[in-house]
Amino acid sequence: MSFRHVTHFTVEFGDCDPAQIVFYPNFFRWCDAASRHFFVAAGVPLWSELEQTTGIIGTPLVDASARFLRPATYGDAIEVETMIDEWRGKSFVMKHTLRRAGEVLVEAQEIRIFARRHPEDSKRIQAVIAPDGIRRLCE
Amino acid sequence: MSFRHVTHFTVEFGDCDPAQIVFYPNFFRWCDAASRHFFVAAGVPLWSELEQTTGIIGTPLVDASARFLRPATYGDAIEVETMIDEWRGKSFVMKHTLRRAGEVLVEAQEIRIFARRHPEDSKRIQAVIAPDGIRRLCE
Amino acid sequence: MSFRHVTHFTVEFGDCDPAQIVFYPNFFRWCDAASRHFFVAAGVPLWSELEQTTGIIGTPLVDASARFLRPATYGDAIEVETMIDEWRGKSFVMKHTLRRAGEVLVEAQEIRIFARRHPEDSKRIQAVIAPDGIRRLCE
Amino acid sequence: MSFRHVTHFTVEFGDCDPAQIVFYPNFFRWCDAASRHFFVAAGVPLWSELEQTTGIIGTPLVDASARFLRPATYGDAIEVETMIDEWRGKSFVMKHTLRRAGEVLVEAQEIRIFARRHPEDSKRIQAVIAPDGIRRLCE
C-alpha cells in the first residue's frame, strides 16, 4: 500500500474565470503544490536543502494530464489526494485525485523526473535515478 | 487541411519558478489563451457576444494533457500553433504545439466542449453540439 | 475596535520566482483572497448571492499599495490579518498585515468600492454606498 | 528626458475574474514584466547574465502601488509605458502607465532595489547602489 497524502486548498475568487468556474491551469497549480506537500509529508527534505546534498533541484514534469469531471467555484474547499502510482527508473507517476465534499472533481496525473543541473551547462537540467532514500520514504 | 493559428507569447520572469524554468501550469495558461485566439482568428465572436445569441459561455475543458520536451525560461519567445484535430459531437480536440525558434518545447492537447448555462440551474453548465457556423469557421 | 480576521496561506514553489522568493503580485492575490475571507467571516454573503439581492457583484479596487519588508519563500506559512481601516462613503480602506511566525513581511492597503453592473450598460460597473447591513457586520 | 519603453500585452480570458474584468494582481504582473522589458530595451543584460558579473539577481520591490481608473476585459490590447521616475541611492522609482487605445486604465508605481545575494547568507538578499553603467542606460 503506497503512502498517500491529502493537501487542502480553498478556491479563491481570483482562481475563477468569467465563466465563474476555476480557470483550469489552477488545477495543475494545485497538483504541483500537492506534489511538494506529498514529499514534505513523506519526510523528503525541501529541494533547496536537497540541492546542497544531492544536487536535485526539483521534480520537473515530462508529462501532465487531467480529466475534468465537475467544475468548482470560489468558496469551495478542495482536497487533493496524492500518491506515487509507479516508479519508472528516472521518472515516476504521481496521481492526484481532487475532491470537494467527497465528490471527485478532477483526476490528474503527472510524470516527473528527479532533476539536477547539468554538470557541464548549468542552464540545462538532467534526469537522475530516484535516490533510494527518497523512494523508500514515498512507498 | 484544417485551419491553423499561431499565437505569440514571451516568457516573463514571473512565469518562471525557483528552478529558473517555466512553472508548468503557465504552459496550460498559454494553451487556453491560444485556443481563444484561434477562435478569434477563425472569425468566431467573443464568448460574451456568443452568450447573447447562442447562450454559449465558453469552451471549458473536459481533458487536458501535455508532454514537456524542453524547458523554457524568461526572455524566450514562444509560438503556439493551434488547430482542431478532431470533432466528436459535443466535444472537440484542440492540438497545441509550442515552439521556441522552431524547436518543439511542448505538445499539448485539450478536449473541450461548447458550454452554456444549464437552463434549469444557472450554476451548472451543459455541453451543446458545436454550432455548424462555428465549426465551418474552424475547418 | 474593528472586526479583524486572519487568513492562512502557504507559499508554494510555483508562487516563487527565479530569485527564489515570492513573485510580488502573489502578495496582492493573497490580499484579495483575504478580503473575501474577511467578508465571509464577518457574515457577509457570497457575492454570487448578493448579486441576486443587492446587485453587488464584488468589491473591485480603485487603489492598492504594499510595502514589502521581508521576502518569503516556499514552505513559509503566512498569516494575513485583515480589517477595514476607514469607511469613505462609496469606498473603504482594507488593511492587510502579512506575517510569518509573528514577523511582518508585508503591509498592504486596498481601497475598494462596492460595485454593481451599470443599469444601462451591463459591461460597465458602478460604485454604490456600502449597504448598512454589510457595514455593521464589518465593524 | 528620461528613457521610456512601451510593452504590449493582451488581456486573456484567464486573466479575468468572475466579475468579467481583469483580476487586479495581473496588472502588477504586467508592471513587473514591463520593468524587465524596460531594462532589456535600455540595453541592460538579463539578470542571469548580470548575476555572473555583478552578483545582481534582479530588482525586487520594496513598495508597489496602483490606481485603477478603468477596468479591462479579455481581448483588450494594453500598452504599458514605463520609465524610471527617480533614483534614490539604493532604490529607484519605476512609473508605469497602462493604456487601452490611448485611455489610461491604471497608473502604477514600483519602488525597487538592485539586489544581490547576501555574501554571508545566500538565503537573504541585499540592496546595492545602482551600478553607474546600468543607470546611464536608463536615463
Side-chain angles (χ1 to χ4, degrees):
Chain A
M1 178 66 181
S2 187
F3 177 69
R4 284 157 190 267
H5 180 68
V6 176
T7 313
H8 299 264
F9 297 99
T10 301
V11 180
E12 304 295 353
F13 186 78
D15 298 327
C16 298
D17 62 26
Q20 320 275 333
I21 56 176
V22 171
F23 180 55
Y24 90 86
N26 288 316
F27 284 118
F28 286 107
R29 183 162 64 83
W30 294 320
C31 288
D32 185 81
S35 295
R36 196 185 63 79
H37 285 286
F38 170 91
F39 286 119
V40 170
V44 177
L46 288 184
W47 307 137
S48 54
E49 295 170 38
L50 270 181
E51 186 170 5
Q52 284 158 21
T53 55
T54 67
I56 289 173
I57 56 170
T59 53
L61 268 86
V62 291
D63 192 291
S65 61
R67 291 201 314 139
F68 305 97
L69 305 174
R70 286 176 184 81
T73 194
Y74 58 99
D76 288 353
I78 290 185
E79 291 188 347
V80 184
E81 186 185 26
T82 300
M83 57 173 292
I84 294 184
D85 209 31
E86 193 185 341
W87 294 91
R88 302 179 176 172
K90 290 183 180 176
S91 70
F92 58 98
V93 181
M94 300 202 87
K95 203 174 137 189
H96 304 280
T97 309
L98 291 83
R99 295 184 180 87
R100 178 188 53 212
E103 198 175 49
V104 177
L105 303 178
V106 178
E107 289 170 345
Q109 184 183 283
E110 298 174 321
I111 306 178
R112 292 172 173 275
I113 54 167
F114 283 98
R116 63 172 183 191
R117 297 195 194 288
H118 195 286
E120 280 153 37
D121 178 0
S122 69
K123 288 183 184 167
R124 291 166 56 202
I125 58 173
Q126 196 180 44
V128 292
I129 298 281
D132 267 357
I134 292 180
R135 187 165 163 173
R136 265 195 305 274
L137 290 168
C138 302
E139 281 175 336
Chain B
M1 178 69 182
S2 188
F3 177 69
R4 284 156 190 266
H5 181 68
V6 175
T7 314
H8 298 264
F9 297 99
T10 301
V11 180
E12 305 295 353
F13 186 78
D15 297 328
C16 299
D17 63 24
Q20 319 277 331
I21 57 176
V22 171
F23 180 55
Y24 90 87
N26 289 317
F27 284 117
F28 286 107
R29 181 162 65 83
W30 294 320
C31 288
D32 185 81
S35 294
R36 196 184 65 78
H37 285 286
F38 170 91
F39 286 120
V40 170
V44 177
L46 288 184
W47 307 136
S48 53
E49 295 171 36
L50 271 181
E51 185 169 6
Q52 284 159 22
T53 56
T54 67
I56 289 173
I57 56 170
T59 52
L61 268 86
V62 292
D63 193 291
S65 61
R67 292 202 311 139
F68 304 98
L69 306 174
R70 286 176 184 81
T73 193
Y74 59 99
D76 287 353
I78 290 185
E79 292 188 346
V80 184
E81 186 184 26
T82 301
M83 57 173 294
I84 295 184
D85 210 31
E86 193 185 341
W87 294 90
R88 302 178 177 173
K90 291 183 180 175
S91 71
F92 58 98
V93 181
M94 298 202 88
K95 201 174 136 188
H96 304 281
T97 309
L98 291 82
R99 295 185 180 87
R100 178 187 53 211
E103 199 177 46
V104 177
L105 304 178
V106 178
E107 290 171 343
Q109 184 183 283
E110 298 175 322
I111 306 178
R112 291 172 172 275
I113 54 167
F114 283 98
R116 63 171 183 192
R117 298 194 194 287
H118 196 285
E120 281 154 35
D121 177 0
S122 69
K123 287 184 185 168
R124 290 167 55 202
I125 59 172
Q126 196 179 44
V128 293
I129 298 282
D132 267 357
I134 292 181
R135 185 164 164 174
R136 265 194 306 273
L137 289 168
C138 302
E139 281 174 338
Chain C
M1 178 66 182
S2 187
F3 177 69
R4 285 158 190 265
H5 180 68
V6 175
T7 313
H8 298 264
F9 297 100
T10 301
V11 179
E12 304 295 353
F13 186 78
D15 297 327
C16 298
D17 62 27
Q20 318 276 333
I21 58 177
V22 170
F23 180 56
Y24 90 87
N26 288 317
F27 284 117
F28 287 107
R29 182 162 65 82
W30 293 321
C31 288
D32 185 82
S35 295
R36 197 185 64 78
H37 285 286
F38 170 90
F39 286 120
V40 170
V44 177
L46 288 184
W47 307 137
S48 53
E49 294 170 37
L50 271 181
E51 186 171 4
Q52 285 160 21
T53 56
T54 68
I56 289 172
I57 58 171
T59 53
L61 268 87
V62 291
D63 193 290
S65 61
R67 292 202 312 140
F68 304 97
L69 306 174
R70 286 176 184 82
T73 193
Y74 58 99
D76 287 353
I78 290 185
E79 290 188 347
V80 185
E81 186 185 24
T82 300
M83 57 172 294
I84 293 184
D85 209 31
E86 193 185 340
W87 294 90
R88 303 178 175 172
K90 289 183 180 175
S91 70
F92 58 99
V93 181
M94 300 201 87
K95 203 173 135 189
H96 304 281
T97 309
L98 291 83
R99 294 185 181 87
R100 177 189 51 212
E103 199 176 46
V104 176
L105 303 178
V106 179
E107 290 171 343
Q109 183 183 283
E110 298 174 321
I111 306 178
R112 292 172 172 274
I113 54 167
F114 283 98
R116 64 173 183 189
R117 296 193 195 289
H118 196 285
E120 281 154 34
D121 178 359
S122 70
K123 286 183 185 168
R124 290 167 56 203
I125 59 173
Q126 197 179 43
V128 293
I129 299 280
D132 267 357
I134 293 180
R135 188 165 161 173
R136 265 196 305 275
L137 290 168
C138 302
E139 282 174 335
Chain D
M1 177 69 183
S2 188
F3 177 70
R4 284 158 190 265
H5 180 68
V6 175
T7 313
H8 298 264
F9 297 99
T10 301
V11 180
E12 304 295 352
F13 186 79
D15 297 327
C16 298
D17 62 26
Q20 319 275 332
I21 58 176
V22 170
F23 179 56
Y24 90 86
N26 288 317
F27 283 117
F28 287 107
R29 181 162 65 82
W30 294 319
C31 288
D32 185 81
S35 295
R36 197 184 64 79
H37 285 285
F38 170 90
F39 286 120
V40 170
V44 177
L46 288 184
W47 306 137
S48 53
E49 293 171 37
L50 271 181
E51 186 170 3
Q52 285 160 21
T53 55
T54 67
I56 289 172
I57 56 170
T59 54
L61 269 85
V62 291
D63 193 290
S65 61
R67 292 203 312 141
F68 304 97
L69 306 173
R70 286 176 183 81
T73 193
Y74 59 98
D76 287 353
I78 290 185
E79 291 188 347
V80 185
E81 186 185 23
T82 300
M83 56 173 293
I84 294 184
D85 210 30
E86 194 186 340
W87 294 92
R88 302 180 177 169
K90 291 184 179 176
S91 70
F92 58 99
V93 181
M94 300 200 88
K95 202 173 136 190
H96 304 281
T97 308
L98 291 82
R99 295 185 180 86
R100 177 188 52 211
E103 198 176 46
V104 177
L105 303 178
V106 179
E107 290 171 343
Q109 183 183 283
E110 298 175 320
I111 305 178
R112 292 172 172 275
I113 54 166
F114 282 97
R116 63 172 184 190
R117 296 193 195 289
H118 196 286
E120 281 154 35
D121 179 359
S122 69
K123 287 182 185 170
R124 290 167 57 204
I125 60 173
Q126 196 179 43
V128 293
I129 299 280
D132 267 356
I134 292 181
R135 187 164 162 174
R136 265 195 304 274
L137 290 168
C138 302
E139 280 175 336

Coordinates of all heavy atoms in Angstrom, one line a residue, chain B residues 35-54 56-59 114 131 133-135 137-138, chain D residues 74:
Chain B
S35 N -6.2 29.0 -27.5 CA -7.5 28.4 -28.0 C -8.4 29.6 -28.3 O -9.1 29.6 -29.4 CB -8.1 27.6 -26.9 OG -7.4 26.4 -26.7
R36 N -8.4 30.6 -27.4 CA -9.3 31.7 -27.7 C -8.9 32.5 -28.9 O -9.7 32.9 -29.7 CB -9.4 32.6 -26.5 CG -10.6 33.6 -26.5 CD -10.6 34.6 -25.3 NE -9.4 35.4 -25.3 CZ -9.3 36.5 -26.1 NH1 -10.3 36.9 -26.9 NH2 -8.2 37.2 -26.0
H37 N -7.5 32.7 -29.0 CA -7.0 33.5 -30.2 C -7.3 32.7 -31.5 O -7.6 33.3 -32.5 CB -5.5 33.7 -30.0 CG -5.2 34.8 -29.0 ND1 -5.4 36.1 -29.3 CD2 -4.7 34.8 -27.8 CE1 -5.0 36.9 -28.3 NE2 -4.7 36.1 -27.3
F38 N -7.2 31.4 -31.4 CA -7.6 30.6 -32.6 C -9.0 30.9 -33.0 O -9.3 31.1 -34.2 CB -7.5 29.1 -32.2 CG -8.0 28.1 -33.2 CD1 -7.2 27.6 -34.2 CD2 -9.3 27.7 -33.1 CE1 -7.7 26.7 -35.2 CE2 -9.8 26.8 -34.1 CZ -9.0 26.3 -35.1
F39 N -10.0 30.9 -32.1 CA -11.4 31.1 -32.4 C -11.5 32.6 -33.0 O -12.3 32.8 -33.9 CB -12.3 30.9 -31.2 CG -12.5 29.4 -30.9 CD1 -12.1 28.9 -29.7 CD2 -13.0 28.6 -31.8 CE1 -12.3 27.6 -29.4 CE2 -13.2 27.2 -31.6 CZ -12.8 26.7 -30.3
V40 N -10.9 33.5 -32.3 CA -11.0 34.9 -32.8 C -10.4 35.0 -34.3 O -11.0 35.6 -35.1 CB -10.2 35.9 -31.9 CG1 -10.1 37.3 -32.5 CG2 -10.9 35.9 -30.5
A41 N -9.2 34.4 -34.5 CA -8.6 34.4 -35.8 C -9.5 33.7 -36.9 O -9.6 34.1 -38.0 CB -7.3 33.7 -35.8
A42 N -10.3 32.7 -36.4 CA -11.1 32.0 -37.3 C -12.4 32.7 -37.6 O -13.2 32.4 -38.5 CB -11.5 30.6 -36.7
G43 N -12.6 33.8 -36.8 CA -13.8 34.6 -37.1 C -15.0 34.3 -36.1 O -16.1 34.9 -36.3
V44 N -14.7 33.5 -35.1 CA -15.8 33.2 -34.1 C -15.9 34.4 -33.2 O -14.9 34.9 -32.7 CB -15.4 31.9 -33.3 CG1 -16.5 31.6 -32.3 CG2 -15.3 30.7 -34.3
P45 N -17.1 34.9 -32.9 CA -17.2 36.0 -32.0 C -16.7 35.7 -30.6 O -16.6 34.6 -30.2 CB -18.7 36.3 -32.0 CG -19.3 35.5 -33.2 CD -18.4 34.4 -33.4
L46 N -16.5 36.8 -29.8 CA -16.1 36.7 -28.4 C -17.2 35.9 -27.7 O -18.4 36.1 -28.0 CB -16.0 38.1 -27.8 CG -14.7 38.9 -28.2 CD1 -14.7 40.2 -27.3 CD2 -13.4 38.1 -27.9
W47 N -16.8 35.1 -26.7 CA -17.8 34.4 -25.9 C -18.9 35.3 -25.3 O -20.1 35.0 -25.3 CB -17.2 33.6 -24.7 CG -16.1 32.7 -25.1 CD1 -14.9 32.6 -24.5 CD2 -16.0 31.8 -26.2 NE1 -14.1 31.7 -25.1 CE2 -14.7 31.2 -26.2 CE3 -16.9 31.5 -27.3 CZ2 -14.3 30.2 -27.1 CZ3 -16.4 30.5 -28.2 CH2 -15.2 29.9 -28.1
S48 N -18.5 36.5 -24.9 CA -19.5 37.4 -24.3 C -20.6 37.8 -25.4 O -21.7 38.0 -25.0 CB -18.8 38.7 -23.8 OG -18.0 39.3 -24.8
E49 N -20.2 37.9 -26.6 CA -21.2 38.1 -27.7 C -22.0 36.9 -28.0 O -23.2 36.9 -28.2 CB -20.5 38.6 -29.0 CG -19.8 40.0 -28.8 CD -19.0 40.3 -30.1 OE1 -19.4 39.9 -31.2 OE2 -17.9 40.9 -29.9
L50 N -21.3 35.7 -28.0 CA -22.0 34.5 -28.3 C -23.0 34.1 -27.3 O -24.0 33.5 -27.6 CB -20.9 33.3 -28.4 CG -20.3 33.0 -29.8 CD1 -19.4 31.9 -29.6 CD2 -21.4 32.7 -30.8
E51 N -22.7 34.5 -26.0 CA -23.7 34.2 -24.9 C -25.0 34.8 -25.2 O -26.1 34.2 -25.0 CB -23.1 34.7 -23.6 CG -24.1 34.2 -22.5 CD -23.5 34.4 -21.1 OE1 -22.4 35.0 -20.9 OE2 -24.1 34.0 -20.1
Q52 N -25.0 36.0 -25.8 CA -26.3 36.7 -26.1 C -27.0 36.0 -27.2 O -28.3 36.0 -27.2 CB -26.0 38.2 -26.4 CG -25.7 39.0 -25.1 CD -25.0 40.3 -25.4 OE1 -25.1 40.8 -26.5 NE2 -24.3 40.8 -24.4
T53 N -26.3 35.5 -28.2 CA -27.0 34.9 -29.4 C -27.2 33.4 -29.2 O -28.3 32.9 -29.6 CB -26.2 35.2 -30.7 OG1 -24.9 34.7 -30.5 CG2 -26.2 36.7 -31.0
T54 N -26.3 32.7 -28.7 CA -26.4 31.2 -28.6 C -26.4 30.7 -27.2 O -26.6 29.5 -27.0 CB -25.1 30.6 -29.3 OG1 -24.0 30.9 -28.5 CG2 -24.9 31.1 -30.7
I56 N -23.8 30.3 -25.5 CA -22.5 29.7 -25.3 C -21.6 30.6 -24.5 O -21.5 31.8 -24.8 CB -21.9 29.3 -26.6 CG1 -22.6 28.1 -27.2 CG2 -20.4 28.9 -26.4 CD1 -22.2 27.7 -28.6
I57 N -21.1 30.1 -23.3 CA -20.3 31.0 -22.5 C -18.8 30.7 -22.6 O -18.0 31.4 -21.9 CB -20.7 30.8 -21.0 CG1 -20.7 29.4 -20.6 CG2 -22.1 31.4 -20.8 CD1 -20.8 29.2 -19.1
G58 N -18.5 29.7 -23.3 CA -17.0 29.4 -23.4 C -16.9 27.9 -23.8 O -17.8 27.2 -24.2
T59 N -15.6 27.5 -23.8 CA -15.3 26.1 -24.2 C -14.5 25.5 -23.0 O -13.3 25.2 -23.2 CB -14.5 26.1 -25.5 OG1 -13.4 27.0 -25.3 CG2 -15.3 26.5 -26.7
F114 N -18.4 22.9 -26.1 CA -19.1 24.2 -26.1 C -20.1 24.1 -25.0 O -20.9 23.2 -24.9 CB -19.8 24.4 -27.4 CG -18.9 24.8 -28.5 CD1 -18.4 23.9 -29.4 CD2 -18.4 26.1 -28.6 CE1 -17.5 24.3 -30.4 CE2 -17.6 26.5 -29.6 CZ -17.1 25.6 -30.5
P131 N -22.1 24.5 -32.8 CA -22.9 25.1 -33.9 C -22.2 25.0 -35.2 O -21.0 25.2 -35.3 CB -23.0 26.6 -33.4 CG -22.8 26.6 -31.9 CD -21.8 25.4 -31.7
G133 N -22.1 26.9 -37.8 CA -21.4 28.1 -38.2 C -20.1 28.2 -37.6 O -19.1 28.6 -38.3
I134 N -19.9 27.8 -36.3 CA -18.6 27.9 -35.7 C -17.7 26.8 -36.3 O -16.5 27.1 -36.6 CB -18.8 27.7 -34.2 CG1 -19.5 28.9 -33.6 CG2 -17.4 27.5 -33.5 CD1 -19.7 28.9 -32.1
R135 N -18.3 25.6 -36.4 CA -17.4 24.5 -36.9 C -16.9 24.8 -38.3 O -15.7 24.6 -38.6 CB -18.3 23.2 -37.0 CG -17.5 22.0 -37.3 CD -18.2 20.7 -37.0 NE -17.5 19.7 -37.7 CZ -17.8 18.4 -37.6 NH1 -18.8 18.0 -36.7 NH2 -17.2 17.5 -38.3
L137 N -16.1 27.7 -39.6 CA -15.1 28.7 -39.5 C -13.7 28.1 -39.1 O -12.7 28.6 -39.4 CB -15.5 29.8 -38.4 CG -16.6 30.7 -38.8 CD1 -17.0 31.5 -37.6 CD2 -16.2 31.7 -39.9
C138 N -13.8 27.0 -38.4 CA -12.6 26.4 -37.8 C -11.9 25.3 -38.6 O -10.9 24.7 -38.3 CB -12.8 25.8 -36.4 SG -13.5 27.0 -35.3
Chain D
Y74 N -11.1 40.7 -21.3 CA -10.3 39.9 -22.2 C -10.5 40.3 -23.7 O -11.6 40.7 -24.1 CB -10.5 38.4 -22.1 CG -11.9 37.9 -22.2 CD1 -12.3 37.3 -23.4 CD2 -12.8 38.0 -21.2 CE1 -13.6 36.9 -23.6 CE2 -14.1 37.5 -21.3 CZ -14.5 37.0 -22.5 OH -15.8 36.5 -22.7

